[in-house]
Amino acid sequence: MEGFLLAFMAVDIGGTFTDLVGYDPVDSRFFQAKSPTTPDDFSQGIVDCIDQSGLDLADVDVLIHGTTVAINTLIERTGAKTALLVTRGTRDVYIIGRGNRPQAYNLFFHRHRPLVSRRLTFELGERMQAGGDVLRPLDPAQVEACARTLAEEGVEAVAVCLLHAYANPTHEIEAGRILRRLLPDCFVSLSHEILRAYREYERISTTVVNAYVGPRVSGYLENLERRLKGIGYQGSIAIMQSNGGIMSPGTARRRPATMMESGPVGGIIASAEVGRALGFPNVIAFDMGGTTAKASLVCDSEPTHAEGYYVGGYASGDPVILPVIDVVEVGAGGGSIAWIDDVGALKVGPHSAGADPGPICYRRGGELPTITDANVALGRIGSDEFLGGRMQLDADAARHGVEDRLGRDLGMPVPAIADAILRIAVNKMSLAVREVSVAKGYDPRDFALVASGGAGPLHAVAIARELHIPTVIVPRFPAHFSALGMLMADERHDIARTFLATLADVDAADLIRIHDEMVSDARAMLRDTEDVAFLCSLDLRYVGQEFSIAVPVDRSMLAAARFADIRARFDALHERRYAHHAADEPVEMVNMRLAAVGQRPSLDLPVLAAPEGQAEAAHRPILLDDWEAPVDCPVYRRDTLPAGSAFDGPALVQEQASTTVLFDGDRCEVAGTGELIVTVGKSR
């Protein structure tokens, strides 16, 4: 690509495909590539995408990367042999966990399975008080003895989580110094470096998770840097975080727990930006890939954040109490397998055919019918146009697979089964959309649905009809949307400090001191300290409550001690979330939080040409509402649709790696920057 300056490139590794998007800042052009994910060596899929794209790496300044390595390591339980060091008397906190049982009537329910055994949990005789005063000093000889035992055990990672280290981390710092000196090849994770907030079980779990995935993530990043350097890349690398920001590889190695959801959040950032540009500040981001479908709420063009989540589900997953863009995920992706349970009912997911062998129609040895096979069997995905014609799909094999695996037991024809598979999948995905909207007090009818992922546009209009959402937006490059969102991400670091006091008794000077200390810590992590925004919030609750609400504040409010205004904001947020507030009840502060956002240059979405005549379409028979009555459906090529063109459903819009399905009564218009804006017809 002689004479071509490409400043940014982003790569997202998904469960089935690896996606690449490049951006040329000179003429605001985007470039894309897609290649099957290579589970044996994820970096190979990245190299394949780069080769396919034809990009000259000498022209690339920054590569932004999102990966599922960390979360897959945790879910698959393939992490490092890990030990845990705690304060004497707290050895069993991590193993006991919480006493809640969310599935009270599930006879097969199992509790959280610890990543560290009790045998590898060691106690130190030190003790810090809740206010940060030393009750018993740390004995270095105890730490040295533990280090010798860990070496004999062949431990690969150590988590250190001492009582009240969030208030005073000096004992943890000293223990970490000794461990790193005596165990130079061991990954050491100190709780105060990950999370300086109270709740012992959650703090221990987060620190353990960070240690457990640390060696594998570090090895992956080192291998990635080596592979990229080997093919001529000399630019910098940035890693996507779960909070929607990017970080340096060095920070990622120290805090790998922050990149658990680094892939999906890119699409949410892009959904917010596209919605804002089109005049839809409130959108629901919906991403359906090969393994899962994800939904997230965007209000006033800002993704919603949570202060932590459970990897593997609330019932028995691992709590990771780090800021994350709030995402609800269900096991319904294009590769999700359709199967029959013990009582003869048809089920879809959560198990996936993945990238290897993949759906039956991929002709890679897959034998189990998937959502993709159902779409191919109904004609909604063209057999000859998949991935722009680079990958031929076997429609006959898909139909035979559905019949052989499901038809004989269900006693139904193939089209009826394929239609049922998609209806079940749409129902599951609709529940995820409801969970991020209705369950949080928001009406989905007040939002637009932004559909992304290779399979998202296939099902988004059906989901919108189910929930009476009036508008669906299909962005440019929907199958590469997470990678596109990574190009739009700012650098971001989140810091929390526990500070427990009633709001009426808080000393403003103490808050200013903590705020400025957090700003100083954040600046040390930022790659570029220019053009930085510091967003502060206080976790507040009514006295006697267990959980808190994050209330946005700024430094001037803290310096002026405007606690009445802060209290009013809290009451309003409590009313919005829970439909009531208690104006006469005392309020207490639990934590102060700070987000340091290093703002990067924005991308200019290219404008399409104006329309010249009507958009032309080919036709093919597909099955939509009635599986017994094929529809002679117009099929539009997206790259031929000019800005301002419009057409009615039923219709298909095909592009390189995705297809948009419109039903009877829907109307699609092409925005000036190329997005498809679908006005959804009446619910079926």
Side-chain angles (χ1 to χ4, degrees):
M1 301 182 64
E2 187 174 350
F4 176 72
L5 174 62
L6 184 73
F8 307 116
M9 181 170 68
V11 181
D12 172 38
I13 297 179
T16 306
F17 288 101
T18 297
D19 302 326
L20 179 149
V21 172
Y23 177 66
D24 168 18
V26 175
D27 54 10
S28 299
R29 294 175 61 200
F30 288 95
F31 298 82
Q32 57 183 315
K34 182 181 285 281
S35 179
T37 294
T38 50
D40 292 337
D41 179 5
F42 287 117
S43 64
Q44 183 59 50
I46 298 175
V47 173
D48 292 343
C49 277
I50 293 172
D51 290 342
Q52 182 194 127
S53 69
L55 300 176
D56 185 351
L57 290 180
D59 296 328
V60 180
D61 298 326
V62 180
L63 186 151
I64 304 170
H65 180 39
T67 176
T68 57
V69 169
I71 194 169
N72 287 348
T73 299
L74 181 57
I75 291 175
E76 296 167 2
R77 290 298 200 263
T78 56
K81 184 177 183 180
T82 305
L84 172 63
L85 271 61
V86 297
T87 300
R88 182 175 296 156
T90 64
R91 184 181 186 187
D92 295 318
V93 168
Y94 178 54
I95 294 175
I96 292 172
R98 295 292 178 187
N100 55 315
R101 180 171 172 144
Q103 300 174 3
Y105 300 103
N106 181 359
L107 298 179
F108 303 100
F109 171 79
H110 63 81
R111 290 167 48 84
H112 165 253
R113 291 176 292 178
L115 299 170
V116 178
S117 66
R118 192 175 191 273
R119 189 177 66 83
L120 290 179
T121 303
F122 301 89
E123 294 181 312
L124 300 177
E126 63 79 44
R127 179 63 184 268
M128 195 73 66
Q129 292 181 316
D133 297 326
V134 176
L135 183 64
R136 288 193 300 270
L138 177 72
D139 183 358
Q142 278 192 321
V143 183
E144 292 170 357
C146 285
R148 288 191 292 270
T149 302
L150 299 179
E152 294 170 359
E153 290 283 350
V155 166
E156 302 167 285
V158 183
V160 182
C161 193
L162 302 180
L163 196 63
H164 304 311
Y166 57 83
N168 183 348
T170 54
H171 287 176
E172 277 195 359
I173 293 171
E174 176 63 13
R177 184 187 65 78
I178 295 170
L179 291 170
R180 286 164 176 156
R181 174 172 57 84
L182 298 179
L183 302 171
D185 296 328
C186 200
F187 186 94
V188 178
S189 180
L190 308 179
S191 75
H192 76 275
E193 294 178 344
I194 312 301
L195 176 67
R196 287 192 66 172
Y198 85 129
R199 296 188 189 278
E200 289 307 303
Y201 167 60
E202 286 78 8
R203 191 163 61 91
I204 293 174
S205 175
T206 304
T207 309
V208 168
V209 166
N210 195 75
Y212 183 77
V213 304
R216 185 171 181 186
V217 170
S218 297
Y220 167 74
L221 293 176
E222 290 171 4
N223 179 59
L224 175 63
E225 289 177 308
R226 186 167 55 250
R227 289 293 302 273
L228 290 174
K229 186 176 181 179
I231 60 174
Y233 181 63
Q234 300 297 323
S236 62
I237 298 175
I239 306 300
M240 197 72 195
Q241 299 185 71
S242 303
N243 64 6
I246 60 173
M247 59 182 169
S248 68
T251 302
R253 290 191 186 95
R254 294 190 301 272
R255 305 182 69 197
T258 60
M259 54 189 290
M260 286 290 171
E261 297 288 348
S262 68
V265 299
I268 299 165
I269 295 168
S271 295
E273 289 297 318
V274 168
R276 179 192 55 77
L278 295 176
F280 294 90
N282 298 322
V283 302
I284 297 172
F286 171 70
D287 176 0
M288 184 180 178
T291 307
T292 59
K294 295 153 286 272
S296 184
L297 197 77
V298 175
C299 290
D300 296 327
S301 299
E302 289 293 332
T304 54
H305 283 75
E307 300 309 329
Y309 70 118
Y310 286 75
V311 181
Y314 174 67
S316 55
D318 296 274
V320 175
I321 308 304
L322 292 172
V324 59
I325 289 183
D326 196 8
V327 179
V328 172
E329 190 168 329
V330 293
S336 293
I337 294 168
W339 53 285
I340 299 172
D341 68 10
D342 293 338
V343 297
L346 179 63
K347 303 284 187 179
V348 178
H351 301 294
S352 172
D356 186 14
I360 298 171
C361 60
Y362 284 9
R363 296 190 289 192
R364 290 182 178 162
E367 298 179 350
L368 303 176
T370 66
I371 292 175
T372 295
D373 293 309
N375 277 296
V376 171
L378 294 175
R380 300 185 188 185
I381 297 178
S383 302
D384 299 327
E385 297 87 7
F386 193 69
L387 294 186
R390 290 189 297 105
M391 184 174 178
Q392 299 293 308
L393 301 182
D394 193 336
D396 289 336
R399 286 188 285 267
H400 288 311
V402 171
E403 183 176 19
D404 293 342
R405 293 284 179 169
L406 304 173
R408 295 167 186 170
D409 291 330
L410 294 174
M412 298 165 59
V414 169
I417 298 172
D419 181 72
I421 291 171
L422 298 189
R423 289 179 184 271
I424 292 170
V426 165
N427 181 261
K428 290 182 68 173
M429 294 183 288
S430 297
L431 292 175
V433 175
R434 286 178 60 89
E435 191 169 339
V436 299
S437 56
V438 177
K440 303 261 176 90
Y442 295 92
D443 189 338
R445 294 173 295 184
D446 297 332
F447 290 75
L449 188 69
V450 179
S452 64
L458 273 165
H459 306 91
V461 174
I463 293 169
R465 286 171 171 257
E466 187 90 7
L467 299 175
H468 305 279
I469 297 174
T471 305
V472 171
I473 300 171
V474 181
R476 305 260 321 258
F477 319 115
H480 299 75
F481 206 52
S482 286
L484 178 63
M486 293 174 193
L487 294 179
M488 301 177 177
D490 295 320
E491 183 178 3
R492 177 173 175 139
H493 298 285
D494 289 276
I495 303 174
R497 294 279 185 91
T498 289
F499 186 95
L500 188 61
T502 58
L503 195 61
D505 298 328
V506 169
D507 187 339
D510 288 337
L511 297 186
I512 289 296
R513 175 180 55 80
I514 295 172
H515 176 277
D516 291 348
E517 288 177 358
M518 296 167 72
V519 167
S520 178
D521 291 344
R523 287 191 183 277
M525 290 189 285
L526 289 165
R527 294 152 57 103
D528 186 354
T529 56
E530 296 183 7
D531 200 13
V532 179
F534 295 101
L535 310 176
C536 185
S537 65
L538 305 180
D539 287 352
L540 302 180
R541 65 187 181 187
Y542 295 118
V543 173
Q545 282 186 319
E546 173 67 9
F547 297 100
S548 57
I549 295 176
V551 179
V553 297
D554 55 47
R555 193 181 188 280
S556 64
M557 294 181 70
L558 301 179
R562 291 167 49 193
F563 296 122
D565 293 341
I566 295 172
R567 165 64 189 261
R569 288 188 179 187
F570 168 72
D571 286 335
L573 287 171
H574 201 282
E575 179 72 31
R576 174 60 187 267
R577 183 169 298 183
Y578 302 112
H580 72 91
H581 71 281
D584 297 328
E585 292 291 329
V587 171
E588 65 182 355
M589 174 182 168
V590 181
N591 301 305
M592 179 184 286
R593 300 185 184 275
L594 183 83
V597 181
Q599 299 170 343
R600 299 173 62 240
S602 60
L603 306 185
D604 296 322
L605 297 176
V607 178
L608 296 185
E612 296 181 2
Q614 294 292 323
E616 297 184 2
H619 286 74
R620 74 164 181 258
I622 67 169
L623 296 169
L624 287 174
D625 289 309
D626 187 351
W627 59 265
E628 294 183 294
V631 176
D632 186 28
C633 186
V635 181
Y636 297 90
R637 280 182 49 196
R638 186 166 184 179
D639 59 357
T640 66
L641 294 176
S645 57
F647 50 89
D648 296 321
L652 300 180
V653 181
Q654 286 187 173
E655 54 191 297
Q656 182 183 12
S658 188
T659 300
T660 301
V661 176
L662 278 69
F663 296 89
D664 187 25
D666 301 330
R667 181 167 180 79
C668 178
E669 298 181 7
V670 182
T673 46
E675 294 81 11
L676 305 180
I677 302 178
V678 180
T679 302
V680 180
K682 294 181 180 179
S683 298
R684 287 174 288 174

